[in-house]
Amino acid sequence: MPELFRDWFAARGWSPRPHQLALLDAVQGGSSALLVAPTGGGKTLAGFLPSLVDLHENPRPEGMGSLHTLYISPLKALAVDIARNLTAPVEAMGLPIRIETRTGDTPANRRARQRVDPPNFLLTTPESLALLLTLPDAAEMFSGLHAIVVDEIHALAGSKRGDQLALGLARLATLAPEARRIGLSATVAHPGPLRAYLSPTGLAKDVALVQGAPGAPPSLDILLPEGRLPWGGHMGLASMPEVYRRIRGAGVTIVFVNTRAQAELCFQALWRLNDDNLPIGLHHGSLTVEQRRKVEAAMADGRLRAVVATASLDLGIDWGAVDQVVQVGAPKGVSRLLQRIGRANHRMDEASQAVLVPANRFEVIECVAARQAIDAHELDGDPPREGGLDVLCQHILACAVAGPFHPDDLYAEILRAAPYAKLTRKDFDDALRFVEDGGYALQSYDRFRRLFRDSEGLIHIRGPAAARQLRMNLGTIVETPLLKVRLRGGPVLGEVEEWFVSTLSPGDCFIFAGQLLRFEGLDALACLVSRGGEGEPRVPAYAGSRMPLTTHLAARVRGILHDPAAWPALPESVREWLRLQQHASIMPPRDGLLVETFPRGERWFLVAYCFEGRLAHQSLGMLVTKRMEHLGMAPLGYLATDYVLAAWCAFEPQGIERLFEEDILGEELEEWMAESSMLRRTFRNIATIAGLIEKNHPGQEKSGRAMTMNADLIYDVLRRHEPDHILLRATRREASAGLTDVARIALILARARAGGIRHMALPRPSPLSVPALIEEGREWVAGGAEDALLAEAAALVADATDGAEIFGELLAEVTESIPPRGDRDRARKPRDAKRRNSRFIRSAPKNYGAPK
Amino acid sequence: MTAAAPVHIAGQRLMLDPAGFLVWPAEKLLAVADLHLEKGSSFAAAGRFLPPYDTRETLERLALGLRRWKPRRLVLLGDSFHDRHGCARLPPADCAALTRMLAGLEEVVWVLGNHDPEPPVGLAGIAAEEWRLGPFTFRHIAQPAAMGKPVPPGEISGHFHPKASMPTRAGSVTRPCFMTDGRRMMLPAFGAYTGGLDLRDPAIAGLFPRGGRAFLLGPDRLYSFPTGPLRMLARAPEAANAPPP
């Protein structure tokens, strides 16, 4: 390291950390490198150090070719923050380096200037990089590129944004073969796949691995609510008084929760307890960006004592001064928990202070399991999955927009991106054909082709329209339709999902942005609200926002349950509960599968202790109930928690083995996948990313949205007429890899086969089954369920109106003779039924507003 | 077994078919609205390559209705093609299928719509802005009531693609629907690529000031609900002008 740098470190009383020097060595030796280090280890500086040194020794002239280092982060805010942090050492050492950011927020004139006169360091996001690569002068701009720094690489690899970035990196390798790659990652279970992800060849061996020293182990408390330990629920509100005391006792606290709904409720509960008027803030992904920035700024300035946050704060800028992290609800995964804990005290040699607050009995065991895993230095997390074909389609069009290409060259380039290393030529050709004209077997779109081939086999784009379309739809984040929430005559508070608003009637109240709000109505663009309101408030929930339990943590939970020797680590009330279970039934075995059946009410229940996470259980529930139907057990419904699958049916379930045979993944899976609403959602996202349908642009006029096609209609037609189309293949592939967790279902079934099924036919529910039976959010058996519900509702309305309206009479006279008052009464019945049972809508608890 | 629902309008018995057809048994008449044929190719021309099977799908469904009801007359209530060149873009196989279908009928009426303001070329039948038979007037867009006067009974129309959401105990279910107040009848859109407009949208609600009854489509039956006046959430007037697709 040059003198200048050593002095700079020394002047601050610092010395370079070993991993910073090791990374510098590796990169100066011409190699790409992955740095794995805990938070607070000076990772970012390590990543930039080789570039700072190189520019110190070899200053770059202004103008084209001046771009030296490209930094890519998953968060815009992070890019901006890093730019600010780098300015200090650059100015202190007087280095001739210009640093700029380029994100969606960068003004057009600066973006234009950056194309003519790029800075030395450009800090950006995967989306902005993808846009840069479509520019005709991209080759020139990146020609002198020396280093690419990918921050928080563990958060990108394995996601669709990660796929897009991997393809972008492959492109960059073609434009600037000299550029070395530097990856910065939090501690992960599988550094191997991350090295491969970063590698210019797609092979892990071509990337050096630099491991930072592990930080001090965190100090981890488990906090139980005063009084009785709840049987169910995930909100953890019973523990808020204790959490509040902890907040009061510490300097600055982050209270992490698992869902946005939980964030709203905990925030409210804390403020009701807040006799000291402590400044406590709220941070989640549905609040407006300005609001989030305000909270972050207040936090950075030390003006807040606590902030209640969701995953929106998992990543992000370093605040330094956080003293403790509280995790309310089960941690769900060890790596994520560590990441969150790491937000407290960003100095790696001091122990982070963290408190786990389980909300119910199972969560207590999960918290204990997580603590043991952390003590044992075990991490979880799945290796990245294969790259999505939808992202590939978008990338191919982007390449065509950038300039003509030969398909053989592009295919070879894409194979060097690790997520696509196994891409078959057929999939590539099909993706190319899709971009060209939709790629349908029925070739009726010849004359509308977007691409054409010249005599040398190069592929060109036809006309500027496709380029415009691509730039409008670039990116892999597909938003669900959202509506702004606006205070009447006041500011926008944030956004909620459109379907939630569709369940509200004027006068209803709900909790959002930490306030009790009354729904007033809709205007063209927003949901209008006023402050206050009466009645039981609701909390907007967001589809699919809960993370499932990881395989690794689930195995530990199973291990604790199975082994009474491990129970002393548990609190007495939990031990008592497990002893009751031992007495009434048996404990779930470590290998094999425990299935309990018992009668209750007018029906039979079946509870399977699978421990493979909610998503897998949800899918398994669909499959098992389908088979129950075939076997004549008349299933009525089922429910999935992270730990168990519970199903209920009209007749006593017998021959349980047949329900968990591995062939369930054949016929039943196919049958279900065809109808599944999850698959429809997956298809909608894939069709949007691939460019088949327009992206929803936030704030777009309703009339604009009316022009977009309903993806469900396309899905139905395509499935009937061309079931093997590339987008349907992509949908099935993605669903079985992630959304439906088919791999984890296979694990359950394999365990059941190897270890055997222990079937306990009980006279009544077992203690372990109770949490599941009181769980919210039931799924109804698929296959005409929607129609059965409609028929029920129609019959209900007919009953409520006493058959006063028999259609076939002269309806006009009937309707006109009914006074408006009567109309209101008729409408009430179904709406009340909806309130009680609506699937995703959670009501605040009855005693809401009066904790204790 | 598919169950059609009987309704009485203007003293006549009509049948509503869950596939989206309206049938007038006394006249052996079958009416259907908003086929939007060749919507796929219309989007393809703009660079969105929707699966090109929508026309085939729609015609197959239409053929089922013709086989089930064996009508003498077919009334297409407008927007039969997604744009004015749609007819010319019909793939030869689909065009032949449609021609065969129409050949089996005594009378075919193409009511003209906003998407297809010109009669189709080379297909059997007559074209009209409005067509009357007995007490009924068939038109594409329902006419708002004149100030202070009740709507004369007997209007049958399409255009708005009505759909309705019904609350059930497991969340609300949204389906295309027939809508009637005993005087006028609005048909759901029939085409494979046609979306819907909520009944409560002022554009539809304004046509049914006293409410009426909605018939939601199901695979083999209709689900009928009284709606009450469709007074609903206040929306800004500009949203009301958004034409349905």
Side-chain angles (χ1 to χ4, degrees):
Chain A
M1 192 161 59
E3 196 70 39
L4 180 67
F5 287 75
R6 273 203 298 270
D7 292 349
W8 181 79
F9 272 98
R12 265 152 198 76
W14 298 350
S15 56
R17 293 175 191 271
H19 63 252
Q20 289 173 330
L21 294 174
L23 189 70
L24 183 61
D25 269 357
V27 177
Q28 284 181 335
S31 146
S32 289
L34 173 69
L35 170 62
V36 176
T39 1
K43 252 191 317 218
T44 317
L45 183 57
F48 279 100
L49 207 49
S51 297
L52 293 171
V53 171
D54 187 58
L55 277 176
H56 166 61
E57 287 163 355
N58 312 295
R60 289 274 175 109
E62 296 276 310
M64 266 301 171
S66 60
L67 182 60
H68 180 279
T69 297
L70 185 67
Y71 166 90
I72 300 144
S73 124
L75 296 175
K76 272 191 270 191
L78 200 54
V80 174
D81 191 57
I82 300 281
R84 205 165 38 224
N85 293 349
L86 273 177
T87 309
V90 166
E91 281 179 0
M93 290 185 269
L95 298 173
I97 299 176
R98 190 152 58 90
I99 304 170
E100 283 178 22
T101 59
R102 185 188 181 99
T103 68
D105 299 339
T106 308
N109 59 349
R110 178 155 358 132
R111 270 182 289 177
R113 186 176 47 69
Q114 282 171 345
R115 281 172 67 174
V116 188
D117 178 20
N120 301 118
F121 288 4
L122 185 64
L123 283 55
T124 186
T125 59
E127 289 72 25
S128 291
L129 172 63
L131 263 177
L132 273 176
L133 288 172
T134 64
L135 299 177
D137 42 10
E140 211 179 333
M141 183 166 181
F142 290 112
S143 59
L145 192 68
H146 194 75
I148 304 163
V149 181
V150 184
D151 204 353
E152 309 272 15
I153 192 170
H154 60 284
L156 283 168
S159 70
K160 289 207 174 176
R161 297 182 76 199
D163 294 346
Q164 185 175 42
L165 177 60
L167 292 167
L169 290 177
R171 193 96 263 262
L172 277 178
T174 305
L175 301 180
E178 297 301 309
R180 291 159 307 198
R181 302 177 186 178
I182 299 162
L184 308 176
S185 168
T187 325
V188 284
H190 309 279
L194 274 191
R195 282 165 75 190
Y197 175 84
L198 186 65
S199 170
T201 56
L203 300 173
K205 69 173 173 58
D206 293 321
V207 170
L209 178 65
V210 178
Q211 296 258 24
S219 132
L220 208 59
D221 272 356
I222 294 178
L223 193 70
L224 295 182
E226 295 162 344
R228 224 167 50 84
L229 188 55
W231 284 91
H234 301 282
M235 293 295 170
L237 297 183
S239 298
M240 283 307 119
E242 191 54 31
V243 170
Y244 179 69
R245 274 193 286 279
R246 295 278 184 145
I247 291 174
R248 212 169 40 188
V252 179
T253 305
I254 304 181
V255 180
F256 276 116
V257 297
N258 291 335
T259 62
R260 282 173 255 193
Q262 194 185 4
E264 294 280 355
L265 286 174
C266 287
F267 177 75
Q268 290 271 326
L270 286 173
W271 267 96
R272 279 171 203 283
L273 295 164
N274 196 354
D275 297 332
D276 306 301
N277 239 345
L278 302 179
I280 298 175
L282 176 66
H283 194 284
H284 64 68
S286 298
L287 300 176
T288 57
V289 178
E290 299 79 58
Q291 276 208 312
R292 277 181 273 160
R293 295 292 162 269
K294 252 191 352 218
V295 171
E296 286 161 22
M299 196 76 179
D301 299 349
R303 281 182 281 124
L304 284 183
R305 286 290 294 280
V307 58
V308 179
T310 59
S312 60
L313 277 192
D314 278 3
L315 296 179
I317 49 181
D318 188 350
W319 292 329
V322 179
D323 298 288
Q324 81 178 342
V325 163
V326 177
Q327 161 71 37
V328 182
K332 298 299 163 206
V334 181
S335 296
R336 189 173 76 138
L337 179 61
L338 274 177
Q339 171 117 24
R340 288 184 160 189
I341 293 173
R343 301 307 311 255
N345 236 336
H346 267 195
R347 282 180 296 278
M348 61 188 291
D349 28 16
E350 282 171 33
S352 303
Q353 299 294 323
V355 185
L356 300 181
V357 185
N360 63 44
R361 289 158 187 248
F362 260 124
E363 292 194 356
V364 174
I365 303 178
E366 194 180 316
C367 287
V368 170
R371 186 161 66 179
Q372 289 176 355
I374 288 176
D375 289 345
H377 299 289
E378 277 180 21
L379 294 166
D380 50 21
D382 300 319
R385 45 159 194 78
E386 270 180 49
L389 293 177
D390 49 348
V391 185
L392 179 67
C393 291
Q394 194 185 90
H395 180 71
I396 292 176
L397 182 57
C399 289
V401 167
F405 64 83
H406 196 284
D408 293 350
D409 298 339
L410 185 61
Y411 179 60
E413 177 186 297
I414 286 169
L415 288 183
R416 289 193 286 271
Y420 294 93
K422 290 186 195 147
L423 181 74
T424 63
R425 183 65 197 230
K426 177 179 187 311
D427 279 348
F428 173 80
D429 286 338
D430 283 358
L432 180 58
R433 278 206 50 215
F434 170 79
V435 174
E436 201 165 12
D437 65 355
Y440 300 103
L442 182 70
Q443 293 184 9
S444 50
Y445 293 161
D446 268 0
R447 76 201 108 143
F448 305 125
R449 278 171 193 282
R450 247 186 317 214
L451 309 176
F452 68 91
R453 238 168 256 249
D454 68 15
S455 56
E456 287 160 28
L458 290 180
I459 291 189
H460 299 253
I461 192 131
R462 188 179 259 173
R468 256 200 318 273
Q469 226 171 45
L470 172 82
R471 295 203 175 101
M472 287 294 287
N473 287 281
L474 203 83
T476 57
I477 301 170
V478 181
E479 308 271 358
T480 40
L482 296 171
L483 267 181
K484 287 195 169 69
V485 178
R486 181 192 292 280
L487 267 179
R488 197 178 270 284
V492 172
L493 300 174
E495 289 173 323
V496 293
E497 289 185 9
E498 203 173 66
W499 68 264
F500 175 76
V501 177
S502 75
T503 67
L504 294 173
S505 308
D508 284 357
C509 68
F510 62 101
I511 299 177
F512 182 71
Q515 311 177 32
L516 189 58
L517 301 171
R518 213 179 95 94
F519 176 57
E520 302 264 348
L522 292 169
D523 72 4
L525 293 172
C527 152
L528 291 178
V529 297
S530 56
R531 287 211 173 89
E534 283 165 20
E536 208 174 89
R538 302 198 324 204
V539 188
Y542 301 81
S545 59
R546 269 197 287 175
M547 280 220 353
L549 179 67
T550 63
T551 311
H552 173 78
L553 198 51
R556 276 194 169 267
V557 170
R558 236 178 16 246
I560 292 178
L561 283 176
H562 175 69
D563 179 14
W567 295 3
L570 302 171
E572 174 52 31
S573 49
V574 175
R575 288 205 299 269
E576 176 62 28
W577 173 49
L578 298 184
R579 277 196 294 271
L580 281 173
Q581 169 72 15
Q582 261 180 325
H583 188 70
S585 176
I586 57 169
M587 295 310 293
R590 188 190 291 270
D591 310 302
L593 177 66
L594 169 63
V595 180
E596 294 174 341
T597 55
F598 47 83
R600 185 173 150 72
E602 299 283 285
R603 43 201 179 178
W604 286 87
F605 281 79
L606 174 149
V607 178
Y609 297 86
C610 310
F611 294 100
E612 280 301 342
R614 204 168 41 86
L615 283 182
H617 294 166
Q618 224 158 42
S619 309
L620 182 66
M622 288 279 189
L623 303 180
V624 166
T625 46
K626 272 224 176 287
R627 179 149 291 190
M628 288 169 95
E629 214 171 288
H630 291 166
L631 296 177
M633 295 178 197
L636 300 166
Y638 76 92
L639 156 173
T641 74
D642 265 334
Y643 313 105
V644 307
L645 164 67
W648 46 97
C649 50
F651 304 109
E652 180 170 6
Q654 276 160 341
I656 302 298
E657 295 73 24
R658 293 276 294 123
L659 296 180
F660 295 93
E661 274 168 4
E662 275 162 311
D663 64 357
I664 207 170
L665 285 178
E667 193 187 319
E668 269 95 350
L669 183 67
E670 281 298 311
E671 200 180 315
W672 166 59
M673 292 256 266
E675 292 303 325
S676 158
S677 62
M678 270 197 269
L679 232 66
R680 288 171 182 272
R681 239 183 349 256
T682 308
F683 177 77
R684 184 172 72 86
N685 289 353
I686 284 178
T688 310
I689 293 172
L692 188 66
I693 51 180
E694 297 275 352
K695 216 167 169 173
N696 259 326
H697 290 287
Q700 199 175 25
E701 304 271 341
K702 256 275 191 283
S703 56
R705 192 149 52 210
M707 287 307 295
T708 64
M709 273 289 298
N710 179 340
D712 278 0
L713 299 172
I714 302 173
Y715 178 76
D716 286 335
V717 167
L718 190 54
R719 199 161 57 81
R720 214 172 94 99
H721 294 275
E722 197 172 338
D724 201 38
H725 188 261
I726 181 166
L727 292 192
L728 291 180
R729 293 207 310 266
T731 304
R732 281 192 292 268
R733 220 178 277 182
E734 190 174 316
S736 49
L739 205 55
T740 53
D741 258 348
V742 170
R744 292 183 78 176
I745 299 177
L747 272 180
I748 297 171
L749 301 177
R751 234 181 4 246
R753 178 169 45 78
I757 292 179
R758 301 287 310 271
H759 176 200
M760 300 296 289
L762 307 173
R764 66 182 69 87
S766 72
L768 221 48
S769 70
V770 173
L773 298 185
I774 59 178
E775 180 88 0
E776 296 167 19
R778 315 204 146 174
E779 292 281 340
W780 300 91
V781 175
E786 224 182 60
D787 283 282
L789 287 165
L790 268 180
E792 187 187 272
L796 201 66
V797 174
D799 280 354
T801 52
D802 278 336
E805 255 191 346
I806 294 157
F807 217 78
E809 308 294 327
L810 267 177
L811 178 68
E813 284 166 27
V814 180
T815 21
E816 279 164 21
S817 68
I818 294 172
R821 172 79 212 182
D823 276 321
R824 214 174 298 144
D825 287 339
R826 271 188 316 183
R828 188 170 297 158
K829 184 103 183 204
R831 196 183 294 153
D832 282 351
K834 164 189 78 176
R835 285 234 180 108
R836 272 199 303 280
N837 293 305
S838 216
R839 215 186 325 171
F840 300 107
I841 301 160
R842 203 169 287 119
S843 286
K846 276 268 185 288
N847 61 353
Y848 176 76
K852 279 176 201 181
Chain B
M1 181 48 212
T2 302
V7 278
H8 287 75
I9 292 180
Q12 293 290 320
R13 184 165 161 278
L14 302 176
M15 300 295 286
L16 305 182
D17 183 301
F21 304 107
L22 175 133
V23 184
W24 183 8
E27 291 290 338
K28 287 189 130 337
L29 177 147
L30 186 139
V32 62
D34 297 276
L35 265 53
H36 284 266
L37 298 174
E38 290 304 302
K39 182 167 177 177
S41 59
S42 178
F43 271 61
R48 297 274 168 214
F49 300 117
L50 301 184
Y53 307 105
D54 56 318
T55 297
R56 186 188 293 181
E57 176 76 25
T58 306
L59 291 180
E60 283 172 8
R61 290 182 204 170
L62 180 61
L64 282 179
L66 294 176
R67 271 208 293 282
R68 186 183 308 144
W69 295 100
K70 303 196 173 45
R72 283 189 305 173
R73 298 190 170 93
L74 173 66
V75 180
L76 300 125
L77 286 167
D79 288 359
S80 305
F81 290 92
H82 188 68
D83 58 64
R84 65 178 72 217
H85 309 295
C87 184
R89 286 199 313 271
L90 273 178
D94 293 336
C95 190
L98 181 56
T99 305
R100 270 198 308 280
M101 239 181 272
L102 300 182
L105 294 155
E106 285 172 24
E107 189 165 17
V108 174
V109 182
W110 300 89
V111 172
L112 300 176
N114 52 320
H115 280 262
D116 56 350
E118 288 154 27
V121 178
L123 292 171
I126 57 160
E129 292 288 341
E130 255 181 38
W131 188 73
R132 285 170 213 272
L133 184 63
F136 294 114
T137 303
F138 297 84
R139 57 168 70 101
H140 182 55
I141 305 179
Q143 273 182 357
M147 269 308 215
K149 283 189 200 156
V151 184
E155 178 192 84
I156 294 172
S157 66
H159 179 65
F160 287 102
H161 302 200
K163 68 171 183 185
S165 296
M166 282 317 303
T168 76
R169 64 194 161 111
S172 66
V173 175
T174 303
R175 295 283 173 84
C177 65
F178 291 94
M179 177 67 201
T180 180
D181 58 2
R183 291 175 170 275
R184 57 168 45 135
M185 167 68 75
M186 189 181 283
L187 268 63
F190 188 79
Y193 281 170
T194 51
L197 185 66
D198 196 287
L199 283 185
R200 293 168 302 186
D201 190 283
I204 300 180
L207 293 166
F208 298 94
R210 290 168 184 274
R213 187 166 271 270
F215 294 82
L216 277 65
L217 306 189
D220 46 31
R221 59 164 283 195
L222 295 158
Y223 304 97
S224 102
F225 297 90
T227 64
L230 296 166
R231 65 182 142 71
M232 226 330 256
L233 314 171
R235 285 182 199 251
E238 60 266 30
N241 299 334

